[in-house]
Amino acid sequence: MKIPHHLRILIQCFFVVSFLLGCSQTNETVEATEFKEYKNNKFSISYPFDWAVVEDSNDGSVAFNSPKESDEDFISEHIMVMSTTLPDEARAPMETYKNEIIETMKKRSPGLEVQNTSNLTVNGLSALEILLKGKRDNVNIALRLTIVAKGKTGYVIGFACQDGDLDKYASTIEKVTNSFKTLE
């Protein structure tokens, strides 16, 4: 089964924006304790209160960028959420499209390799989580994508960071992902 065109575009947009935003390079565990709620006409999600919100009116995505950890921290970790309308044939469970999603990501970013995939539930909705690692623009990176579909809408919640920093943000990523709710 082919991955729907709309979902391919959503994944491609996520990669482009996530690599433009980048990642930092420290090893201390970061656990956010205070959160704010972001809400638009499609979804709501909580994010750490000191992270900056960057909305893109062109594609409807939103990114949450962590603050600089030091003066040497030129690039920040970020969480991005994107949504798109899926065609009728894309209403099957996301597991149906797992291999096609992975192949699309590998074609768009040949230096990335899938480390793990798992099925999970985000506020009652079935989701697919994909962890990728590899080299992009001479930087070792890690991407954690959570893909959720509800009806005709697909969502990608992604976290990008320098490889090795994923564990230090694990608690924050979990809280943000589990706060995701659809409003449609």
Side-chain angles (χ1 to χ4, degrees):
M1 179 179 286
K2 293 270 185 190
I3 187 169
H5 178 71
H6 287 64
L7 192 53
R8 265 191 306 230
I9 291 171
L10 180 68
I11 292 168
Q12 291 167 3
C13 290
F14 174 81
F15 276 110
V16 169
V17 175
S18 69
F19 293 129
L20 292 175
L21 293 173
C23 315
S24 77
Q25 302 178 8
T26 64
N27 291 322
E28 293 180 25
T29 298
V30 176
E31 184 173 344
T33 57
E34 294 182 50
F35 291 82
K36 288 183 182 178
E37 182 182 41
Y38 172 86
K39 187 184 281 188
N40 65 20
N41 62 339
K42 295 184 178 190
F43 63 87
S44 70
I45 194 165
S46 295
Y47 64 96
F49 83 99
D50 58 345
W51 288 33
V53 177
V54 180
E55 296 177 299
D56 187 334
S57 59
N58 292 326
D59 65 11
S61 67
V62 61
F64 307 99
N65 300 322
S66 70
K68 285 186 172 188
E69 295 174 5
S70 70
D71 289 338
E72 291 80 36
D73 187 9
F74 297 107
I75 305 169
S76 64
E77 292 78 12
H78 64 278
I79 296 172
M80 170 171 262
V81 183
M82 300 180 76
S83 66
T84 190
T85 302
L86 300 172
D88 287 338
E89 64 270 15
R91 289 202 229 177
M94 210 42 67
E95 180 68 23
T96 305
Y97 302 108
K98 178 170 80 174
N99 292 334
E100 288 83 5
I101 291 168
I102 290 169
E103 288 307 311
T104 298
M105 289 186 286
K106 285 182 174 182
K107 286 178 186 174
R108 299 296 174 219
S109 296
L112 294 177
E113 291 295 324
V114 174
Q115 302 296 303
N116 187 24
T117 64
S118 59
N119 296 315
L120 58 130
T121 302
V122 176
N123 279 316
L125 298 173
S126 294
L128 174 65
E129 184 176 275
I130 303 172
L131 174 63
L132 300 111
K133 291 184 178 183
K135 192 172 272 259
R136 177 71 178 207
D137 299 328
N138 293 320
V139 176
N140 290 324
I141 61 167
L143 297 172
R144 178 177 157 181
L145 303 177
T146 303
I147 304 163
V148 180
K150 181 178 180 190
K152 287 190 163 194
T153 305
Y155 303 91
V156 176
I157 305 165
F159 178 77
C161 67
Q162 186 172 3
D163 189 17
D165 284 351
L166 200 56
D167 288 342
K168 79 179 195 177
Y169 286 93
S171 176
T172 299
I173 298 166
E174 291 296 322
K175 289 176 184 175
V176 171
T177 301
N178 289 326
S179 74
F180 177 82
K181 295 178 185 162
T182 60
L183 301 176
E184 298 181 292

